[in-house]
Amino acid sequence: YQRRVRERILHLEAGFMKMTNTLIVSISFLCLLLVQESVSLTPKYQKMFSRPAGVSSHSSLSAREFTNTRAREKFRQAHLQNSLRNGNVTFNFPQLVDHFDPSNQQLFMQRFIFEDDYYEPGGPVFVYLGGEGPMEEFLGEVQMFEWLKRYKAAGFLLEHRYYGKSSPVPDFSTPNLKYLSSRQALADAARFINKMNKSLQADQWVIFGCSYSGCLSGWFRSLYPELVLGSYAPSGPVLAQLNYTGYMGQYEDSAGSDCATATRNAVIQIAQMMNSVDGLAKLSLYFNSCTPLQYEDDLFYFTWTIALQLAGQAQEQNPPDWPLTSICNILTSGGDPVKNFAQAFLFENSAGCTNFSAASFVDSMSSTDINSNYDGGRAWWWQKCTEFGYFKSSYADTSIFFDTLPVEKIVNFCSKIFQIPNLSPNITGTNNFYGGKNLKASKVVVSQGLLDPWHLLGITQDKPGVQTYNYQAAHCALLHQAYDNDPADIKNGRLKLTSFLDDLLASPQRR
């Protein structure tokens, strides 16, 4: 049993006593979990979710809202393999299905990763909250794991309910989604920390996140300040918004004038080509559509998809790849603007043809099978349709993209997917509960990339208890792999975060 749990020599040079203490802490921690919580140890790191070859998914619409760049994916895989070599495994934590109904004591198994490669007894504990995808996706945010080494800390990565393999229900039918909300997820984290600390007996817990889980991190510090010393909450769109025109609107500023002009010229020509049978046939060919473009709903879905693909590159404009720069190089290369636009679209969608059928998209999001929802598509649409909105629309005066992408058509997907008439998110309720950009918390640091369209819904100015740091890149950049040639403001941002953690861990007062 002990061999199965952990037989690890972390640092021979540290001496026999240090090694013994570390092993005792790790083994006793896991034994207590097994006794107190019936945690089941499961084989770890099965093959990552990947897109089947030949046919593309529905672009960014059915996958994570906040996607991985190629570089981020590379380092996620590298960190994954490093975790395998070091013996880190996935555990299951018995979590309450419903935290807000005392009569419901049902449990489900919530996955988490535990890392103690550098942990020394008495050290701090860092918790990274998973977001709208399988928890393995968030191993791309490697910086927190680097801080484990600096502070000799233990680390947890907690998978969000309904994502990956942490499902509290047997299927994702609409009635079964009633336990999916950010408030339930925050209560999950609170119960998890309370139970883990019965074993670790640590005085210093710090919570992390990124993007949606960056929101969760800040909100957690606001709602449960007694459990963690502080929070790092980068790139979180804390202001729920139904009609989010800013996502596509940001592209023009992030891409620069030459690229924006080339994009706009292509958009105009694409719109003109959609008015003729011959033009639609060419667009079907250029954009590698799985079926010919012809129906009105599909034409809306087509323009929305290709606009989001390019607009989303502003979100990913981080070192070392700077993907928006690569896209702009294609768009401004001369020749046919439409073909350039198509090439830029296919740059990130090269696995096969793209299905531009709106009905097919609704069908894929309507699947209630848990295995087909491993990537979180249906779950995230539920959260958008009930809590957050974030619907990326475009009008004539809001972006350089198509002016035929009204929010009403996007919201209509909610009713179609979940079979609830007139389903629309409770934006007012969400903002009233969490405070929107007026986060009421202390000892929180928020960073925002000013090229990232999500920063428009985030906190960018200091507030009482909340420090901010802005930099000229995009989404969650300060948590990504560090490079020697990173821009100075990204390097300075990581230094500021390290200073924040230094000060935080030097003062054990929670509030």
Side-chain angles (χ1 to χ4, degrees), residues 258 261-267 269-270 273 286 328-343:
D258 289 347
T261 298
T263 303
R264 180 58 184 165
N265 290 338
V267 166
Q269 291 190 33
I270 291 170
M273 293 172 69
Y286 295 166
C328 286
N329 288 339
I330 296 173
L331 290 164
T332 59
S333 61
D336 187 333
V338 176
K339 289 183 178 180
N340 290 343
F341 194 114
Q343 184 183 350

Side-chain angles (χ1 to χ4, degrees), residues 361-411:
F361 167 67
V362 171
D363 286 345
S364 70
M365 291 297 101
S366 299
S367 172
T368 62
D369 178 68
I370 286 181
N371 292 329
S372 67
N373 282 284
Y374 180 80
D375 69 332
R378 180 171 171 84
W380 184 238
W381 266 88
W382 176 258
Q383 291 196 259
K384 291 198 294 182
C385 292
T386 56
E387 294 188 85
F388 303 122
Y390 299 150
F391 298 125
K392 309 178 190 79
S393 56
S394 178
Y395 305 86
D397 58 347
T398 64
S399 84
I400 62 174
F401 292 102
F402 305 94
D403 59 6
T404 55
L405 305 177
V407 70
E408 292 81 9
K409 286 191 175 182
I410 306 170
V411 174

Side-chain angles (χ1 to χ4, degrees), residues 26 38 69 113 186 230 285 407 445:
S26 297
S38 302
T69 63
I113 293 173
L186 291 167
L285 176 64
V407 70
V445 168

Side-chain angles (χ1 to χ4, degrees), residues 149-402:
K149 183 189 305 184
R150 175 183 176 89
Y151 297 105
K152 297 179 174 56
F156 290 99
L157 194 161
L158 181 65
E159 188 166 68
H160 195 297
R161 58 171 54 209
Y162 285 84
Y163 294 96
K165 296 187 176 181
S166 295
S167 177
V169 291
D171 63 64
F172 280 14
S173 60
T174 298
N176 278 346
L177 297 176
K178 63 183 178 180
Y179 304 115
L180 173 55
S181 70
S182 57
R183 300 182 200 185
Q184 291 279 9
L186 291 167
D188 285 344
R191 184 172 184 270
F192 178 83
I193 290 174
N194 271 319
K195 295 296 184 181
M196 293 300 107
N197 207 30
K198 288 182 178 180
S199 301
L200 283 177
Q201 296 291 309
D203 293 325
Q204 298 178 313
W205 291 71
V206 183
I207 199 149
F208 296 78
C210 166
S211 196
Y212 162 55
S213 77
C215 295
L216 294 176
S217 178
W219 293 336
F220 189 89
R221 174 61 185 164
S222 176
L223 295 175
Y224 302 98
E226 73 280 3
L227 295 182
V228 293
L229 285 175
S231 158
Y232 176 43
S235 298
V238 293
L239 181 66
Q241 191 169 100
L242 182 74
N243 192 8
Y244 185 33
T245 59
Y247 191 87
M248 295 197 200
Q250 176 66 37
Y251 175 87
E252 185 173 2
D253 290 337
S254 299
S257 60
D258 289 347
C259 185
T261 298
T263 303
R264 180 58 184 165
N265 290 338
V267 166
I268 292 172
Q269 291 190 33
I270 291 170
Q272 292 171 345
M273 293 172 69
M274 290 171 61
N275 293 323
S276 70
V277 174
D278 181 62
L280 287 174
K282 289 180 179 179
L283 291 174
S284 300
L285 176 64
Y286 295 166
F287 286 89
N288 198 20
S289 178
C290 295
T291 56
L293 296 169
Q294 54 182 321
Y295 300 111
E296 182 178 351
D297 286 349
D298 294 346
L299 295 182
F300 165 78
Y301 187 71
F302 164 71
T303 53
W304 191 44
T305 299
I306 64 174
L308 283 180
Q309 180 64 40
L310 261 67
Q313 299 308 306
Q315 174 182 327
E316 306 297 348
Q317 182 68 337
N318 286 324
D321 284 359
W322 301 106
L324 179 57
T325 301
S326 299
I327 293 297
C328 286
N329 288 339
I330 296 173
L331 290 164
T332 59
S333 61
D336 187 333
V338 176
K339 289 183 178 180
N340 290 343
F341 194 114
Q343 184 183 350
F345 172 80
L346 295 173
F347 183 75
E348 293 290 344
N349 287 275
S350 57
C353 66
T354 299
N355 192 339
F356 292 116
S357 165
S360 179
F361 167 67
V362 171
D363 286 345
S364 70
M365 291 297 101
S366 299
S367 172
T368 62
D369 178 68
I370 286 181
N371 292 329
S372 67
N373 282 284
Y374 180 80
D375 69 332
R378 180 171 171 84
W380 184 238
W381 266 88
W382 176 258
Q383 291 196 259
K384 291 198 294 182
C385 292
T386 56
E387 294 188 85
F388 303 122
Y390 299 150
F391 298 125
K392 309 178 190 79
S393 56
S394 178
Y395 305 86
D397 58 347
T398 64
S399 84
I400 62 174
F401 292 102
F402 305 94

Side-chain angles (χ1 to χ4, degrees), residues 1-8 27 31:
Y1 164 74
Q2 291 181 353
R3 285 196 304 271
R4 290 178 57 231
V5 174
R6 196 87 52 154
E7 282 188 356
R8 181 187 304 167
I27 292 172
C31 287

